[in-house]
Amino acid sequence: MDEKELLHNAPIGVFDSGVGGLTVAREIMRQLPNERIVYFGDTARVPYGSKSHETITRYSRQIVRFLRTQDVKAIVIACNSASAAALETLEEEIELPIIDVVRPGARTALSATKNGKIGVIATEATINSGIYKRYIEEHNKTFSVVGKACPLFVPLVEEGLWEDPVTDEIAGRYLSELIDIGIDTLILGCTHYPLIRSAIGRIMGEEVRLVNPAYETARALKKLLEKKGLESEKRPALGTELYRFFVSDSADKFQKFANSIIPYGILSAKAVNIEDY
Ligand code: DGL
């Protein structure tokens, strides 16, 4: 294999604070079936959503250093909290193509809204950063963006309570103020939230468009790879390890959760000591 071919066949590095980024990885698998993926879930240090900007940036730098040891050709920050805290720093520090989940999600909302009232639900770190609001209002000053942190959603998803009255009850409390404001578009600004999309949709009603940034992120990644001439031209041969998973805590626990999200069967996940990077 020559150097050019090696680069084309190199994997995409995708990272998240834990399992949530698998909703983004799943979308990349769907839309870019020829691409290999190396996924890192920081399961030992999750959640990022309640941590400071500095801590999340430090964690993200370590993960990028680890992913580089896997010879990735591009990086996807598949975590809203890490995108909000670390995107600009990582863009300055590394020369690899890099995609976050916030800007693609914000772009979808910008084109989806009819009445210019957009809601964002996310972790505290993402909401407090004001990143969605800033990005959308920079592109259209007449639009208004209202953010709401929903910290209980992540543990509800991780407990598997995707279709449960408890989730509906909590969603009702969190979302009532967004309903009162009359938003017509709601960004699911945390990687876990697409997994409780049905509960959120039930509360918001059919008229409110729910935006899952994962879809647009995969599209943006496709365009970026094409622009840089980095796309993998053919599907790797059967038996080649298309997807590899690494975590910073128990691989067994991750594997179980991941297998309920990813339809491809996760053969193995490996634990690494991320503090070494
Ligand atoms: N992946 C995180 C996000 O999208 C949610 C989980 C966490 O708080 O780390 O913001």
Side-chain angles (χ1 to χ4, degrees):
M1 218 186 274
D2 64 23
E3 214 172 290
K4 192 166 162 244
E5 220 175 320
L6 268 177
L7 188 61
H8 279 273
N9 288 331
I12 315 276
V14 178
F15 78 89
D16 177 47
S17 54
V19 291
L22 290 168
T23 59
V24 180
R26 178 176 66 180
E27 200 50 51
I28 297 172
M29 293 168 186
R30 254 188 221 138
Q31 292 188 38
L32 291 88
N34 293 350
E35 298 298 337
R36 292 180 164 84
I37 292 175
V38 173
Y39 182 94
F40 182 85
D42 199 357
T43 46
R45 305 188 293 194
V46 68
Y48 282 11
S50 52
K51 297 198 168 70
S52 70
H53 187 100
E54 291 70 27
T55 299
I56 301 172
T57 303
R58 183 168 75 80
Y59 290 174
S60 302
R61 276 195 178 118
Q62 286 178 319
I63 296 169
V64 168
R65 283 199 281 271
F66 165 72
L67 288 173
R68 300 200 74 155
T69 67
Q70 303 298 307
D71 295 325
V72 297
K73 64 181 174 189
I75 303 262
V76 177
I77 312 179
C79 172
N80 287 265
S81 307
S83 298
L87 172 68
E88 281 173 18
T89 309
L90 295 179
E91 274 183 335
E92 273 166 25
E93 291 178 355
I94 61 169
E95 72 294 346
L96 285 177
I98 183 159
I99 289 254
D100 67 311
V101 281
V102 168
R103 290 175 302 188
R107 280 198 296 272
T108 311
L110 272 163
S111 54
T113 184
K114 300 259 181 323
N115 71 3
K117 291 183 185 171
I118 298 170
V120 184
I121 50 173
T123 64
E124 283 166 316
T126 303
I127 295 300
N128 292 342
S129 76
I131 189 164
Y132 274 105
K133 190 173 168 64
R134 220 167 33 248
Y135 187 87
I136 292 170
E137 293 178 357
E138 255 167 38
H139 284 76
N140 191 324
K141 289 196 173 49
T142 67
F143 287 180
S144 63
V145 181
V146 180
K148 174 79 186 164
C150 304
L152 290 174
F153 279 173
V154 167
L156 285 170
V157 168
E158 297 207 350
E159 284 303 316
L161 301 171
W162 303 359
E163 287 295 337
D164 192 281
V166 175
T167 302
D168 283 46
E169 162 69 23
I170 290 170
R173 291 199 200 185
Y174 279 147
L175 302 175
S176 62
E177 63 189 79
L178 298 177
I179 295 172
D180 293 346
I181 292 165
I183 61 161
D184 72 351
T185 303
L186 179 63
I187 302 173
L188 307 180
C190 169
T191 49
H192 284 63
Y193 299 178
L195 298 170
I196 50 166
R197 189 190 176 108
S198 306
I200 295 169
R202 272 194 295 279
I203 305 294
M204 294 309 297
E206 277 174 12
E207 315 73 50
V208 176
R209 161 99 187 260
L210 302 183
V211 172
N212 174 4
Y215 180 78
E216 199 55 33
T217 300
R219 265 171 53 110
L221 174 65
K222 189 164 192 276
K223 276 196 208 142
L224 181 70
L225 293 179
E226 282 165 7
K227 191 171 141 206
K228 302 263 179 201
L230 284 175
E231 71 277 27
S232 166
E233 278 142 10
K234 50 181 192 293
R235 197 172 166 79
L238 274 179
T240 318
E241 264 199 17
L242 253 185
Y243 308 130
R244 282 181 291 141
F245 298 86
F246 295 89
V247 286
S248 48
D249 195 31
S250 155
D252 284 354
K253 200 168 160 212
F254 172 86
Q255 227 162 285
K256 225 163 149 201
F257 193 94
N259 278 318
S260 67
I261 297 182
I262 305 269
Y264 300 98
I266 293 184
L267 300 178
S268 64
K270 260 194 209 142
V272 296
N273 187 358
I274 197 64
E275 293 288 356
D276 288 347
Y277 291 87

